[in-house]
């Protein structure tokens, strides 16, 4: 939406947030309202026909949420954005808009644990399916695509192992098959990686993580590049054909680059109702104001901690992509040149038991199922977030039983290292 050529650090503060026209309030107000008075019957009809953009009912959108959507679209360089009640809701809404029964996606197997479960189990109830493949094996990606495939899905920097996807290579395959590349950019944030610049069509976020940045919110977002031609083939009838769920509107013809966003709100959000509340949107916008500052510090701290861990005798290996020993180190310069974020895993030589002991011995680190907080966080994925996966799936996802996941915070790096040092001493005693 925003076409201002300003730098990221400026946009993260100003995009979507002009002084409130009614009161002059400088910060975006929390519009705690369910509904909006129509000027008259014609105004109401125009809004319901999408002939005029405005507010109807807060399940669809709300001025505070709208401001956040504008900011996210500006930061990702997209045409429009839709905010949702969680990252997982954003994934479902993105798929809902482009899928139908019998359709499938081809997805990376390096995924947030909840996404593995959502894709391999839960989406089947919609009649959808997913093939999980190693996305570094482009022949396997290609082979998994069939006439019912509607998207390729991956995480730019994958949770939990920090693997970096070769986005241009995947975008090229998606383009050739006339389907969108969907990128979960949660771990990277738009400050470190802008997937649309590498050919992605839809960018998904869990706002819960680095974007809000302080562990106060559950939220999600989809940003659309606005560049995909939904009418180039007959694969996306909800966008290219008369939409029966919206009195026959042809979204792509009527709304052009905003077709996906309007369809996701007017049909998906209207009927599935995974709405973000204005209070959460407000907290998230406050967090985003300092995103670049926090991410620089997260990356700097993560590199120091990863280097220290790599030289520790109890540690078998560290997966941080910012280390020259990482097999995807060369992708940092290409995909996320400002840094490889602060989420990574390390494996202990003494295996599962030592991992559990380590978790129980940390003091500064919080043992929680979250990431992207200013606080340093730690978890043993195999017994928690990735517990419902088979051991083979755990290993493929980068969450083997001897692996611990950390999200390095913005505290002083020496204090973070000191905590790991004392906990590793106890874990391997
Ligand atoms: C947390 C997370 C999600 C899910 O987001 P929620 O806000 O918890 O629903 C999806 N993808 C990644 C990479 C995540 O880290």
């Amino acid at each position: 939406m925003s076409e201002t050529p300003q730098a990221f650090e400026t946009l993260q503060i100003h995009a979507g947030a002009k002084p409130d026209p009614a009161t002059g309030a400088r910060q975006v107000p929390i519009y705690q309202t369910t509904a909006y008075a129509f000027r008259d019957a014609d105004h109401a009809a125009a809004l319901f026909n999408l002939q005029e953009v405005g507010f109807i009912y807060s399940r669809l959108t709300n001025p505070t949420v709208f401001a956040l959507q504008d900011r996210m679209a500006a930061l990702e360089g997209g045409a429009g954005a839709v905010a949702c009640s969680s990252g997982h809701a954003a994934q479902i809404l993105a798929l809902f808009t482009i899928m139908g029964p019998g359709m499938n996606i081809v997805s990376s197997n390096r995924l947030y644990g909840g996404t593995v479960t959502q894709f391999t189990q839960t989406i089947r109830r919609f009649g959808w399916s997913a093939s999980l493949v190693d996305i570094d094996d482009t022949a396997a990606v290609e082979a998994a695509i069939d006439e019912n495939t509607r998207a390729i899905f991956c995480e730019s920097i994958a949770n939990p192992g920090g693997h970096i996807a070769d986005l241009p290579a995947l975008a090229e395959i998606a383009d050739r098959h006339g389907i969108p590349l969907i990128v979960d950019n949660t771990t990277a944030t738009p400050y470190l990686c802008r997937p649309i610049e590498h050919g992605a069509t839809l960018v998904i976020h869990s706002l819960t993580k680095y974007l809000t940045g302080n562990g106060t919110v559950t939220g999600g977002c989809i940003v659309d590049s606005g560049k995909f031609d939904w009418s180039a083939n007959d694969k996306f009838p909800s966008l290219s054909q008369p939409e029966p769920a919206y009195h026959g509107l042809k979204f792509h013809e009527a709304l052009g680059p905003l077709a996906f966003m309007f369809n996701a709100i007017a049909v998906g959000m209207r009927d599935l109702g995974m709405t973000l509340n204005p209070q959460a949107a407000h907290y998230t916008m406050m967090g985003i104001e300092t995103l670049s500052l926090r991410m620089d510090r997260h990356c700097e701290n993560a590199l120091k901690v990863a280097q220290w861990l790599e030289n520790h005798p109890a540690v078998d290996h560290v997966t941080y992509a910012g280390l020259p020993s990482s097999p995807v180190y060369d992708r940092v310069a290409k995909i996320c040149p400002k840094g490889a974020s602060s989420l990574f895993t390390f494996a202990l030589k003494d295996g599962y038991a030592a991992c559990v002991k380590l978790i129980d011995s940390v003091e500064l680190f919080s043992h929680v199922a979250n990431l992207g907080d200013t606080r340093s966080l730690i978890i043993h994925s195999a017994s928690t977030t990735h517990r419902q996966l088979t051991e083979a799936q755990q290993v493929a996802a980068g969450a083997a039983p001897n692996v611990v996941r950390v999200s390095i915070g913005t505290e002083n790096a020496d204090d973070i290292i000191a905590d790991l040092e004392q906990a590793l001493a106890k874990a391997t005693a």
Side-chain angles (χ1 to χ4, degrees):
M1 281 175 192
S2 174
E3 268 153 22
T4 41
Q6 285 165 330
F8 192 95
E9 293 80 356
T10 307
L11 290 174
Q12 72 186 357
I13 297 168
H14 291 282
K18 298 198 171 56
D20 180 50
T23 63
R26 188 61 194 88
Q27 191 49 279
V28 178
I30 302 168
Y31 286 93
Q32 197 68 47
T33 183
T34 308
Y36 308 83
F38 304 121
R39 287 194 301 273
D40 52 36
D42 283 348
H43 178 221
L47 291 178
F48 276 92
N49 275 339
L50 299 184
Q51 285 156 342
E52 196 179 319
V53 178
F55 300 100
I56 297 174
Y57 186 65
S58 284
R59 172 158 29 81
L60 303 172
T61 185
N62 164 289
T64 316
V65 174
F66 198 83
L68 169 64
Q69 292 177 163
D70 250 7
R71 184 167 297 177
M72 286 302 298
L75 295 181
E76 285 287 3
V82 186
C84 297
S85 54
S86 70
H88 261 16
Q91 290 174 185
I92 290 293
L93 183 61
L95 296 186
F96 185 77
T97 307
I98 59 171
M99 303 274 275
M103 305 296 136
N104 69 71
I105 58 169
V106 172
S107 169
S108 171
N109 58 6
R110 295 183 191 85
L111 295 169
Y112 174 70
T115 304
V116 176
T117 311
Q118 189 185 62
F119 284 180
T120 58
Q121 306 297 329
T122 307
I123 64 170
R124 291 200 208 156
R125 301 202 193 173
F126 292 88
W128 312 334
S129 62
S131 323
L132 269 51
V133 298
D134 174 358
I135 48 164
D136 281 347
D137 183 351
T138 48
V141 175
E142 196 84 52
I145 295 174
D146 64 25
E147 74 277 8
N148 292 325
T149 303
R150 292 295 175 268
I152 297 176
F153 185 100
C154 70
E155 296 179 7
S156 48
I157 300 182
N159 181 347
H163 174 275
I164 298 175
D166 186 351
L167 298 179
L170 295 170
E172 189 274 321
I173 299 174
D175 266 3
R176 205 151 22 78
H177 290 272
I179 55 176
L181 172 65
I182 306 179
V183 177
D184 180 338
N185 201 31
T186 299
T187 305
T189 82
Y191 178 65
L192 299 179
C193 173
R194 304 219 309 168
I196 291 170
E197 290 172 359
H198 300 289
T201 294
L202 301 177
V203 181
I204 309 258
H205 280 284
S206 168
L207 302 171
T208 317
K209 314 292 171 53
Y210 293 99
L211 285 163
T212 304
N214 50 28
T216 51
V217 159
T218 305
C221 186
I222 310 166
V223 180
D224 174 25
S225 71
K227 293 178 187 153
F228 192 82
D229 184 358
W230 304 107
S231 308
N233 52 46
D234 58 5
K235 293 184 175 176
F236 307 100
S238 182
L239 294 161
S240 64
Q241 301 301 313
E243 168 59 89
Y246 210 87
H247 49 72
L249 185 70
K250 288 173 116 177
F251 277 83
H252 194 209
E253 190 180 280
L255 296 150
L258 296 176
F260 176 92
M261 180 194 155
F262 273 96
N263 187 285
I265 293 174
V267 181
M269 189 70 81
R270 181 196 66 188
D271 296 344
L272 302 178
M274 61 273 272
T275 310
L276 187 72
N277 68 77
Q279 187 97 30
H282 172 76
Y283 287 141
T284 302
M285 275 197 293
M286 303 265 274
I288 291 174
E289 289 187 354
T290 58
L291 182 65
S292 65
L293 306 170
R294 288 185 286 108
M295 294 315 291
D296 280 339
R297 176 63 171 245
H298 277 295
C299 292
E300 186 190 317
N301 279 356
L303 183 59
K304 282 185 194 160
V305 174
Q307 280 166 338
W308 180 85
L309 282 168
E310 195 169 45
N311 292 313
H312 194 287
V315 173
D316 184 60
H317 65 269
V318 181
T319 64
Y320 190 53
L323 292 173
S325 59
S326 164
V328 290
Y329 178 68
D330 61 333
R331 290 187 189 163
V332 177
K334 194 163 107 185
I335 307 289
C336 49
K338 293 197 197 96
S341 195
S342 77
L343 182 75
F344 62 90
T345 60
F346 58 95
L348 293 185
K349 289 177 185 156
D350 287 351
Y352 189 105
C355 291
V356 172
K357 192 86 198 293
L358 172 76
I359 302 272
D360 282 340
S361 305
V362 289
E363 290 165 10
L364 180 66
F365 275 80
S366 305
H367 179 199
V368 298
N370 192 18
L371 63 103
D373 196 321
T374 47
R375 276 152 281 268
S376 289
L377 313 175
I378 192 164
I379 199 158
H380 181 228
S381 300
S383 62
T384 55
T385 53
H386 290 65
R387 186 182 189 92
Q388 289 169 34
L389 311 190
T390 62
E391 188 166 332
Q393 285 176 320
Q394 288 174 347
V395 171
N402 64 335
V403 154
V404 169
R405 185 189 82 181
V406 285
S407 168
I408 302 300
T410 57
E411 303 100 333
N412 185 292
D414 293 341
D415 289 335
I416 300 170
I417 289 170
D419 191 38
L420 288 172
E421 185 161 33
Q422 66 80 22
L424 277 168
K426 287 180 188 145
T428 54

